Amino acid sequence: MPNNLLRQIPKVDSILESAGWVSLVSACPESIAKDVLREHLDSLRLDIREGRMDSVPSIDEIVTAVGIRAAALIEPGLKRVINATGVIIHTNLGRSLLARRAVNAIMRVAMGYSNLEYDIEKGARGSRYDHCRSVLRRLTGAEDALVVNNNAGAVFLTLNTLAEGKEVIISRGELIEIGGSFRIPDVMKKSGAVLREVGTTNRTYIEDFERAIGDNTGLIMKAHTSNYRIRGFTHDVSSEELVALGKRYNIPTYYDTGSGLFYNFEGLGVSGEPLIPDELKKGFDVISFSGDKLLGAPQAGIVIGEKDCLEAMKKNPMTRALRPDKFTLAGLEATLLLCLDPDSAAGIPTIRMILEEKAAVTKRAQRIASQLRKKCPHAGASVIDVNSEVGGGSFPDMVIPSAGVALEPRTMTLAALEAKLRRLPLPVIARIEKERLILDIRTVLAEDEGDLVAAVAGAFQNDR
Ligand SMILES: *Cc1c(COP(=O)(O)O)cnc(C)c1O
């Protein structure tokens, strides 16, 4: 019996001559398609020998199966998803979305030559570090600015340049860990600086810092406790106190502010986020922050501050290892230029999403829910109140009243629906809460609403 079936498997030559195969290899490299075909036929033979099959598929069936597998192989692994979590700066979903201007700027340098390291005035070699410098100086009032790959790199470079082999004094309450294993003590160790933690987890005073100062003190550091708050019986040292202490003992001061916020946008709520220009005015020698958190730019680490410190950082050989590429610089510069005007800054996607009025989100949720009720009555769609979050370790206390579409599926479990949505060609990332699947519409782009409806309808297809 198996031998008989084995002989019935279509010959490779006839498969390669079929119309289905010809159309398959017009959309997929032939070598990949042939590899997949070979694997497919091997497993078919094995299934037959081990008695798992009692008939042989047709050429068309084989080509279809090979086509699906081959298409999956050439599909990019990094793809667009719909973020229906309501977490705006979602670290797992790509953090900040770029403004159109930033995208256009990236496209221009991506598809054409640029003056990345060329001084057009002088007709000579220039520096990539000059590109965002002037707009950063204008925005923050800093003497100098330097862009690196991300803020973790900026922290490392600052510590390594200013405090290698020396002590860095920091409050015990600020020894933060950011997701993805960024921990201040670990970065400090790798930078060659020596951690000198002072105070206690909840209470630290300026006297604690002063007592720790010695011959080998290299830097006084402050880190924004961006993803948590210590409440209750607490005492913090203010920026002003730290800066005054540094000046008194002639020790540089550094503030890792995390997010990069330039304005206290109206409607942003009680702000616990430091404003970059304000902090710099208080007198820190160096401040660093991320490009892709509240600033809404590409991933980058931005260092601003006093000229001598920044010059020393630029000369550090590690800077080369942390240098940003031209896409980052183009997208960052375009975003920073938008930030020169608070109104256009408010239109940068990250800030725009935070500021979108609840009523507007509700309207969008109602529109989506009503389409879903028509297209997939089994989804049990309704509009509910939810709370969005800023995410990305910014405004840890702040919840933003928002509107969501709740799904109460009648034909499958919530876990099955959640997984189905996640595995669609255009994945939808949602959360389960109180026996419902919640799609928070605040983080769903207006232009993605149609795709969201189609995606949910897709999850309910063949499901009566
Ligand atoms: C996010 C954050 C970092 C790390 O920044 P990345 O840009 O993610 O590398 C460092 N310090 C603070 C305080 C942060 O909030």
Side-chain angles (χ1 to χ4, degrees):
M1 176 72 176
N3 279 338
N4 195 19
L5 279 178
L6 284 173
R7 273 195 297 276
Q8 285 173 29
I9 294 178
K11 293 279 166 294
V12 171
D13 283 346
S14 14
I15 296 175
L16 299 188
E17 278 160 17
S18 69
W21 183 266
V22 173
S23 104
L24 195 166
V25 295
S26 71
C28 158
E30 191 167 7
S31 61
I32 303 238
K34 279 183 171 167
D35 283 349
V36 175
L37 175 62
R38 204 172 306 121
E39 288 162 19
H40 187 75
L41 293 180
D42 284 349
S43 81
L44 202 61
R45 283 187 204 102
L46 192 69
D47 282 348
I48 292 171
R49 274 196 209 101
E50 298 189 347
R52 284 192 293 270
M53 286 194 104
D54 45 22
S55 71
V56 163
S58 68
I59 289 184
D60 280 352
E61 285 167 330
I62 291 173
V63 171
T64 303
V66 169
I68 291 170
R69 174 93 188 99
L73 283 180
I74 59 166
E75 189 194 334
L78 181 59
K79 53 187 155 192
R80 184 167 78 101
V81 307
I82 292 181
N83 174 8
T85 64
V87 180
I88 295 167
I89 307 174
H90 198 304
T91 296
N92 302 147
L93 302 182
R95 282 202 185 158
S96 281
L97 308 188
L98 299 184
R100 169 63 58 191
R101 286 252 196 117
V103 175
N104 289 344
I106 292 171
M107 295 257 283
R108 277 194 296 273
V109 301
M111 302 183 79
Y113 291 105
S114 61
N115 61 335
L116 179 65
E117 293 187 349
Y118 184 73
D119 186 325
I120 291 173
E121 283 304 312
K122 296 188 184 135
R125 191 195 166 103
S127 164
R128 75 173 62 214
Y129 301 111
D130 285 344
H131 290 292
C132 295
R133 207 171 147 257
S134 99
V135 62
L136 274 168
R137 290 179 54 195
R138 187 163 292 280
L139 267 171
T140 64
E143 277 182 8
D144 202 357
L146 172 67
V147 177
V148 293
N149 196 36
N150 54 23
N151 190 33
V155 174
F156 174 86
L157 191 64
T158 305
L159 294 172
N160 179 259
T161 309
L162 302 180
E164 191 178 15
K166 295 185 189 159
E167 284 186 354
V168 177
I169 312 176
I170 183 170
S171 163
R172 189 162 280 144
E174 294 177 358
L175 294 176
I176 50 172
E177 171 176 318
I178 316 284
S181 75
F182 172 90
R183 289 174 153 196
I184 297 256
D186 297 346
V187 175
M188 193 150 335
K189 192 177 262 171
K190 285 283 179 200
S191 76
V194 180
L195 174 66
R196 181 72 194 265
E197 48 186 308
V198 297
T200 60
T201 309
N202 56 331
R203 290 173 84 88
T204 302
Y205 299 87
I206 193 68
E207 293 77 24
D208 296 322
F209 278 85
E210 186 158 13
R211 267 197 300 275
I213 292 177
D215 291 343
N216 200 32
T217 304
L219 189 69
I220 295 174
M221 178 172 180
K222 181 176 174 64
H224 182 47
T225 55
S226 42
N227 47 6
Y228 70 100
R229 288 269 183 275
I230 296 179
R231 288 196 197 75
F233 187 62
T234 66
H235 187 273
D236 254 349
V237 178
S238 70
S239 297
E240 289 86 348
E241 287 175 295
L242 279 184
V243 166
L245 185 69
K247 298 226 182 302
R248 189 137 44 87
Y249 286 89
N250 204 17
I251 296 166
T253 47
Y254 165 43
Y255 189 3
D256 170 17
T257 62
S259 253
L261 191 63
F262 294 114
Y263 302 105
N264 198 353
F265 295 100
E266 206 181 321
L268 217 49
V270 277
S271 174
E273 284 296 315
L275 296 182
I276 303 296
D278 293 1
E279 292 302 322
L280 195 72
K281 252 188 232 119
K282 291 176 189 170
F284 283 104
D285 294 288
V286 177
I287 287 181
S288 78
F289 50 96
S290 285
D292 55 351
K293 291 183 182 169
L294 285 173
L295 178 51
Q299 177 192 305
I302 296 153
V303 191
I304 56 169
E306 204 259 330
K307 198 164 178 42
D308 290 347
C309 294
L310 279 267
E311 281 302 328
M313 292 174 74
K314 286 178 200 173
K315 291 203 187 96
N316 187 329
M318 278 310 293
T319 301
R320 169 67 188 242
L322 297 167
R323 75 179 188 178
D325 63 21
K326 57 186 175 180
F327 315 119
T328 300
L329 290 170
L332 177 60
E333 188 172 38
T335 308
L336 291 168
L337 289 169
L338 285 172
C339 288
L340 289 172
D341 171 47
D343 286 340
S344 54
I348 295 171
T350 301
I351 299 292
R352 189 192 67 218
M353 279 189 208
I354 298 176
L355 296 181
E356 188 182 12
E357 298 278 350
K358 186 189 168 191
V361 185
T362 306
K363 214 175 211 170
R364 298 203 289 126
Q366 281 162 346
R367 198 159 57 214
I368 292 167
S370 96
Q371 288 177 43
L372 283 176
R373 279 192 292 265
K374 268 187 232 127
K375 283 204 169 168
C376 33
H378 296 295
S382 62
V383 174
I384 58 162
D385 286 342
V386 294
N387 286 319
S388 308
E389 283 171 49
V390 177
S394 310
F395 295 108
D397 284 338
M398 185 167 151
V399 290
I400 312 170
S402 183
V405 173
L407 302 181
E408 292 171 84
R410 301 197 245 289
T411 49
M412 62 183 113
T413 66
L414 282 171
L417 177 59
E418 188 272 337
K420 247 183 175 177
L421 287 172
R422 184 156 40 80
R423 291 177 184 146
L424 288 168
L426 174 59
V428 175
I429 314 299
R431 64 172 192 269
I432 295 172
E433 211 178 270
K434 294 188 191 134
E435 309 294 305
R436 291 174 302 201
L437 187 112
I438 313 277
L439 306 165
D440 186 330
I441 302 306
R442 180 174 295 279
T443 47
V444 174
L445 301 174
E447 56 266 36
D448 282 352
E449 286 172 20
D451 286 343
L452 175 63
V453 171
V456 175
F460 279 91
Q461 226 168 30
N462 311 323
D463 210 280
R464 310 264 142 223

